[in-house]
Structure formats: structure tokens, C-alpha cells
Amino acid sequence: LRADLLPEAWIAPLDVRQQRALLRHRCQLVRLRTRLRNRVHAVLADHGCDRPGSCFTAPGRAWLGGLELPDASRRVIDDLLGLMDALKEPIDALDRQLLAQARGDPRIKALTQLPGVGTLTALMIVAEVGDITRFPSARKLAAWAGLTPTVRGSDLTVRHGHISKQGSDWLRWILCEAAQTAKRSPEFADAYQRLAHRRGKKIATTAIARRLLARAYHVLRAVQDRQDRQGAR
């Protein structure tokens, strides 16, 4: 350390850490709501009940209320629906706050032009990446996100393994979620089909997530460079 031979660790500013906390909190609440919905479906499946549409819209709730179920099952479903209703208020409040923060941010506007990237996804990318200028290339960013394959070699033998899964779990997760939509877009569909045929759908989706992150890198660098030029005038 005295000889300045250790690389510096980047510590995100307070506003970035707070943004991450809000986005991660929202994701955890949505995951909890999804688990509650899955539990409702499990109770219905135990009694052979099914509905073509959603059970959680207004007509779906009416259908649930009209089902003849044993007392214990009715209690379970009513409790689960009550918990879901209680989660709706904080999730909606977080959505309003996050969407208000996204307005006027050129990075969010630019990122949402990418296939599969909505406003909340763009917010997650910006918050998790932080200062884009600390990455000299898109490949460095992909390596930091854990989306590049591990490499093991000895003498003349080199083996490429699975992705390293280092860095931000949240960034890796949101990019894989975005890739589920992006892989059907004209920009990525052909590449996805070729990779899925050779390596399987899971590896192909991860590859699309890595390509999507590379696109996001260049978009964020372009926005940053434009802001730097404007600030220099």
C-alpha cells in the first residue's frame, strides 16, 4: 500500500448506495408477492381448481371469492390475499418515487431504447454500475458483472468454463431478465437462435445478457461524453 502497488477500490457515493437500496428493496417486495401468488396457485391446485386468466385481477378475485373450499384452505387463501394487498401500497409508492427520479435523466432515456430494457431495468443498471468511466471497455464491465467465462489454462491447454458470477448479483440478474425479452428482438434473435442450437437456451440467454450489457456500456459512455463536452463549454 505504501508503494502504491494495490489497486484502489471504488466506493459508491451515498446517493448511488441509496438508489441501490431502494431498487433492491422493491425487487425483494415483488419477489415476496410472487411467492404469495405461487402459494395461492398451490392451494388451488390441491383442490383441482384452475382459471385460464389471472386470479389476481378484479374478475379473478371475484372468482376466488366464489369458490367452495374447505375452511382451512379458504383461510389460507384469504390470508395470502391480505398480505398481497398489504404489499401493494409500498410497491406502488416505490414505483412512483423511482419513476419520478428517472424523469429527466438522459442515461435512463438512452438505455430504454435498448430491447428488453424498461425504466426500472435502466435504473437498476445505472445504480449497480455507478460511474461508467471507471471501466475502460465493455469487456471490463462484463467481467466485473460476472458475465464472462472463466478461463483455466496450463502449458498449451486452455479451458473456458461457466461465467464467473463475480461482481453484482443484482446487475447480473436484471440483465438476464432483460435478455428474456431482448432475445426475441430483431437485433438479437438470430444470434440467440444460433447459440441456443449449439450450446442450449440457458447459455444463449446469458450470452445475450452479456451483449446487452456491452450495448449499455457504449450508451452510457456516449451520454457521459456528451455531458463532459457540455460541461467544458
Side-chain angles (χ1 to χ4, degrees), residues 104 106 222-233:
V223 172
Q224 185 63 48
D225 292 344
R226 187 163 56 251
Q227 291 178 336
D228 292 342
R229 288 194 300 270
Q230 291 174 351
R233 292 176 182 175

Side-chain angles (χ1 to χ4, degrees), residues 52-68:
S54 172
C55 298
F56 309 107
T57 60
R61 288 290 190 97
W63 176 79
L64 282 174
L67 287 177
E68 294 185 4

Side-chain angles (χ1 to χ4, degrees), residues 78-160:
D78 288 345
D79 287 349
L80 292 170
L81 293 176
L83 291 171
M84 289 166 52
D85 291 339
L87 286 173
K88 184 178 185 304
E89 182 177 349
I91 291 174
D92 290 346
L94 283 167
D95 285 345
R96 289 191 297 269
Q97 181 179 353
L98 292 168
L99 291 175
Q101 293 175 0
R103 294 192 189 99
D105 190 330
R107 299 171 299 175
I108 305 302
K109 183 178 180 180
L111 284 174
T112 52
Q113 303 303 310
L114 297 174
V117 178
T119 301
L120 290 173
T121 300
L123 281 167
M124 180 75 78
I125 293 172
V126 168
E128 294 298 326
V129 171
D131 183 6
I132 193 63
T133 61
R134 63 195 180 102
F135 299 102
S137 67
R139 182 171 179 78
K140 293 287 186 181
L141 175 57
W144 176 82
L147 286 171
T148 53
T150 56
V151 179
R152 293 181 176 87
S154 62
D155 194 17
L156 299 178
T157 303
V158 177
R159 292 184 176 87
H160 295 272

